[in-house]
Amino acid sequence: PVWMHRREAYGLGMERFRGYIAGLGTASGTRLVVGHWPDSPFGPFTDVMVENRFGARLLLAPSEAVARYVSSTYTFDAIDVVPVSAFLSGDRLTVDGGALRLSARLGQVTLLGRLLQAVPAPLAVHPLWLQAVNPLAGLIVRGVRTAGTTGDRLEFYGVRSIRRLSSAQCSWNGKDLGPLAPVNPPVRFGFSSVPSRPQILAVTTTITARNAVQSKGIRAWKTAFTRMPSPSGPIPVRPGSTQAPN
């Protein structure tokens, strides 16, 4: 498969996902984290992490392969492999997957988002930079981290831009979940939550095996990262869609 060739080329089990993460709460207490990935080792796909007001965590994944990978990195109480389709335009994100229907309107770029757009692209997504700024990230946005460990993997989140979500219509099995609300309490899928304010982030996520770094050393790890294609310029919120794989 194409994604296996990409993985081998990067070396050290290093993988990169380029796309968008939308985090939002609803008045019912259900909180959602939508991962919309036009460029990933698995090809284009969208997945959704759902946590209800009782704390039950569910993954909606479009394929068995995505379900295995995501569930080995994050923690869920249940997994549904269902068709998940999404479309992102200049002003709206829509998601249709399993029992979920979501339509969210995008607002303006935040002040922090404008500052992040000014960071040079190769630096903004580099794991060493993201490790260095990780303590600061948690001070600026409570509960958010740019680097951390989940199981046997190291994860790095290079945010390139941020836009507010100004409104949303969300239903589960046809039942309205209520208007847009903060992500409160924070979601508990991994070492980091999403911002409490509903937002969509343009992000490059890099994941690598911790034991590979330990066995081959930091120099080999840095060399492997430089082989990965570098993003070119700030990432706008561009129209695009992902359909569930056949």
Side-chain angles (χ1 to χ4, degrees):
V2 172
W3 66 271
M4 283 295 293
H5 292 306
R6 290 181 181 176
R7 177 182 295 181
E8 292 168 359
Y10 296 163
L12 296 177
M14 188 177 290
E15 296 149 329
R16 172 180 281 174
F17 298 74
R18 293 187 67 209
Y20 307 89
I21 296 175
L24 63 145
T26 63
S28 66
T30 296
R31 287 142 289 147
L32 307 173
V33 179
V34 178
H36 179 61
W37 306 108
D39 181 15
S40 88
F42 297 91
F45 76 92
T46 298
D47 68 310
V48 185
M49 304 179 189
V50 184
E51 184 170 351
N52 67 17
R53 63 191 180 94
F54 303 107
R57 296 161 295 183
L58 170 69
L59 170 66
L60 302 178
S63 69
E64 292 284 354
V66 169
R68 284 194 299 270
Y69 186 89
V70 176
S71 63
S72 69
T73 308
Y74 304 95
T75 302
F76 304 96
D77 302 298
I79 300 170
D80 281 352
V81 178
V82 293
V84 181
S85 300
F87 183 80
L88 178 64
S89 70
D91 64 353
R92 188 170 291 276
L93 170 68
T94 59
V95 181
D96 185 342
L100 176 68
R101 302 294 182 272
L102 170 66
S103 178
R105 182 172 292 278
L106 278 58
Q108 298 297 313
V109 178
T110 67
L111 174 59
L112 179 57
R114 289 196 294 270
L115 294 174
L116 291 169
Q117 287 177 355
V119 179
L123 177 64
V125 302
H126 201 292
L128 296 182
W129 164 259
L130 296 172
Q131 280 186 316
V133 301
N134 185 48
L136 182 61
L139 295 176
I140 297 175
V141 183
R142 185 178 178 182
V144 171
R145 298 174 61 186
T146 56
T149 303
T150 302
D152 64 349
R153 290 173 175 160
L154 302 175
E155 300 176 54
F156 306 92
Y157 295 93
V159 177
R160 309 288 312 289
S161 184
I162 304 171
R163 287 181 67 174
R164 296 184 179 88
L165 297 179
S166 58
S167 65
Q169 294 79 46
C170 188
S171 66
W172 189 264
N173 277 330
K175 182 179 180 180
D176 184 16
L177 296 179
L180 194 65
V183 183
N184 186 32
V187 291
R188 302 171 300 113
F189 305 113
F191 65 83
S192 177
S193 182
V194 292
S196 61
R197 292 183 177 180
Q199 296 176 339
I200 182 168
L201 296 77
V203 62
T204 297
T205 300
T206 303
I207 299 177
T208 188
R210 181 169 54 173
N211 57 2
V213 176
Q214 292 172 340
S215 64
K216 296 191 177 182
I218 191 68
R219 179 174 296 179
W221 179 67
K222 288 167 65 178
T223 300
F225 182 83
T226 60
R227 296 175 184 166
M228 303 177 77
S230 177
S232 55
I235 304 175
V237 174
R238 290 187 295 239
S241 63
T242 60
Q243 300 292 329
N246 294 326

